[in-house]
């Protein structure tokens, strides 16, 4: 990480620490996670130069900036990131970028409403995108920041944000209707790590992760045995792997449950810390959320 920071500082010096626009005159915007990239794209559209650092299947908890990322960050006018220590390996880089406008979406939220954690450095669960209302607030925040940076495009950013917020509200209604088809006693979500607590709080699911909030923590034998007992006791039908987390831990959990005479299936792979492939429905925030809920409900019925 120290080497990365040194490269970053050197790159700043070469570029003169200026917020250089590309030849098309648009501001350079850099985002970290694919969820944030999708959000900013919906607001900024063709009026910004947008580059995302993390693609499909990338775990932001463990992500380290490459030299190519350093160049992108050094040439950025605005950097949008999640904050709340989600991008653990990049936080120190952002703190060194005093001349850059770094925007953490988590900083805009009322901390008293966030889910706390005694086991994570920030004391807050960083997976805020699984609360649609938080994503609506983040949409408004991004539109505000972009409007301040490019005042003549404010009407466009405002309109784009209003259109996207309407889509997010419709998404929330649609998800609620789908979840209502699942009996309340079946609403137990077991996944690889604690990424879905905001989802659980919003849609009345009991959520249990094999690993903690950060995937930097490893699940041990005792964790597997404890969770397997919980699955059997609550007659959980399905457990889920995650696209950005190795599936071996969930496969070990399934084996532990089945060895005790209780059959549990792997209900599918959920998108947790990253969207699906670009160009697919799951490569968008709305498509990802719809896919996740349909997968969960179909497996637990």
């Amino acid at each position: 990480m120290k080497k990365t920071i040194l490269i970053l500082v050197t790159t700043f010096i070469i570029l003169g620490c200026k917020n250089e626009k590309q030849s098309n005159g648009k501001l350079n915007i850099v985002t970290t996670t694919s969820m944030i990239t999708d959000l900013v794209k919906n607001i900024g559209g063709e009026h910004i130069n947008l580059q995302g650092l993390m693609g499909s299947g990338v775990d932001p908890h463990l992500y380290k900036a490459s030299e190519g990322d350093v160049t992108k960050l050094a040439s950025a006018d605005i950097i949008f990131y999640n904050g709340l220590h989600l991008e653990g390996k990049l936080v120190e880089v952002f703190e060194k970028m005093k001349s850059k406008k770094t925007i953490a979406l988590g900083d805009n939220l009322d901390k008293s409403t966030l889910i706390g954690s005694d086991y994570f450095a920030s004391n807050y669960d960083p997976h805020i995108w699984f609360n649609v209302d938080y994503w609506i607030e983040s949409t408004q925040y991004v539109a505000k920041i972009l409007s301040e940076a490019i005042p003549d495009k404010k009407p466009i950013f405002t309109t784009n944000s209003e259109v996207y917020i309407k889509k997010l509200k419709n998404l929330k209604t649609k998800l609620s209707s789908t979840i209502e088809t699942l009996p309340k006693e079946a609403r137990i979500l077991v996944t690889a790590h604690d990424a879905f607590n905001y989802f659980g709080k919003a849609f009345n699911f009991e959520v249990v992760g094999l690993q903690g909030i950060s995937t930097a923590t490893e699940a041990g034998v005792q964790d597997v045995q404890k969770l397997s007992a919980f699955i059997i006791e609550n007659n959980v039908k399905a457990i889920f792997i995650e696209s950005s987390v190795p599936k071996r831990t969930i496969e070990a959990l399934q084996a532990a449950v089945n060895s005790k005479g209780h059959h549990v299936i792997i209900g599918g792979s959920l998108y947790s810390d990253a969207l699906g492939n670009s160009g697919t429905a799951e490569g968008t925030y709305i498509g990802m959320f719809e896919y996740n809920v349909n997968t969960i409900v179909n497996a637990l019925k």
Side-chain angles (χ1 to χ4, degrees):
M1 180 56 67
K2 290 182 179 179
K3 181 181 178 182
T4 300
I5 295 172
L6 179 60
I7 294 171
L8 182 59
V9 172
T10 303
T11 306
F12 282 164
I13 294 172
I14 293 172
L15 294 178
C17 292
K18 296 178 181 178
N19 291 342
E20 298 289 349
K21 296 186 179 76
Q22 291 184 6
S23 58
N24 58 15
K26 300 175 184 178
L27 288 184
N28 297 321
I29 310 297
V30 172
T31 51
T32 53
T33 68
S34 53
M35 290 79 67
I36 298 175
T37 303
D38 180 65
L39 170 55
V40 175
K41 181 180 179 181
N42 274 280
I43 307 307
E46 62 183 12
H47 303 285
I48 58 175
N49 297 315
L50 177 61
Q51 297 186 87
L53 298 184
M54 305 178 195
S56 174
V58 174
D59 183 351
H61 298 285
L62 305 177
Y63 188 80
K64 296 180 181 179
S66 67
E67 290 189 27
D69 293 337
V70 168
T71 301
K72 292 177 184 177
L73 291 169
S75 62
D77 296 290
I78 302 174
I79 299 166
F80 288 103
Y81 67 108
N82 189 86
L84 303 175
H85 289 249
L86 178 76
E87 304 97 339
K89 302 289 185 179
L90 284 173
V91 171
E92 192 175 350
V93 174
F94 293 143
E95 289 176 349
K96 298 291 183 180
M97 301 175 70
K98 301 301 183 182
S99 63
K100 293 291 175 179
K101 192 167 187 178
T102 54
I103 307 295
L105 299 187
D107 288 349
N108 186 55
L109 301 176
D110 181 353
K111 297 297 190 299
S112 68
T113 68
L114 298 180
I115 296 173
S117 172
D118 294 332
Y119 305 102
F120 193 56
S122 70
N123 293 322
Y124 296 109
D125 186 333
H127 303 89
I128 54 177
W129 56 92
F130 280 125
N131 180 317
V132 180
D133 291 334
Y134 286 158
W135 219 234
I136 289 173
E137 288 187 54
S138 296
T139 298
Q140 294 168 331
Y141 189 39
V142 169
K144 175 178 177 290
I145 297 299
L146 290 181
S147 295
E148 291 173 351
I150 320 173
D152 62 314
K153 301 298 183 184
K154 180 177 180 179
I156 296 174
F157 298 145
T158 299
T159 298
N160 288 350
S161 66
E162 290 171 350
V163 169
Y164 192 55
I165 286 171
K166 184 176 181 179
K167 291 180 180 179
L168 292 176
K169 289 180 177 178
N170 289 338
L171 170 68
K172 185 178 178 181
T173 299
K174 185 175 182 180
L175 297 180
S176 297
S177 296
T178 301
I179 289 169
E180 280 302 312
T181 66
L182 185 66
K184 288 183 172 58
E185 62 271 16
R187 297 179 193 176
I188 301 176
L189 179 61
V190 178
T191 62
H193 86 296
D194 278 338
F196 293 89
N197 288 317
Y198 289 112
F199 166 79
K201 185 177 180 181
F203 295 104
N204 297 312
F205 269 77
E206 182 174 1
V207 177
V208 185
L210 184 54
Q211 293 173 258
I213 286 176
S214 172
T215 55
T217 60
E218 290 287 342
V221 175
Q222 287 187 337
D223 298 311
V224 171
Q225 292 303 319
K226 181 179 179 181
L227 188 48
S228 65
F230 172 86
I231 290 169
I232 294 170
E233 180 182 350
N234 291 277
N235 196 31
V236 177
K237 291 176 59 177
I239 57 181
F240 300 87
I241 59 179
E242 298 175 31
S243 62
S244 56
V245 181
K247 62 181 181 180
R248 63 180 179 272
T249 53
I250 287 296
E251 290 175 337
L253 176 61
Q254 181 189 34
V257 172
N258 292 346
S259 70
K260 297 175 183 178
H262 178 89
H263 180 65
V264 66
I265 66 169
I266 293 180
S269 178
L270 304 179
Y271 296 101
S272 54
D273 290 338
L275 300 180
N277 292 325
S278 178
T280 67
E282 294 79 21
T284 68
Y285 173 81
I286 290 174
M288 172 276 293
F289 222 142
E290 288 181 346
Y291 168 86
N292 276 357
V293 168
N294 287 331
T295 300
I296 292 166
V297 170
N298 290 335
L300 293 179
K301 276 184 177 178

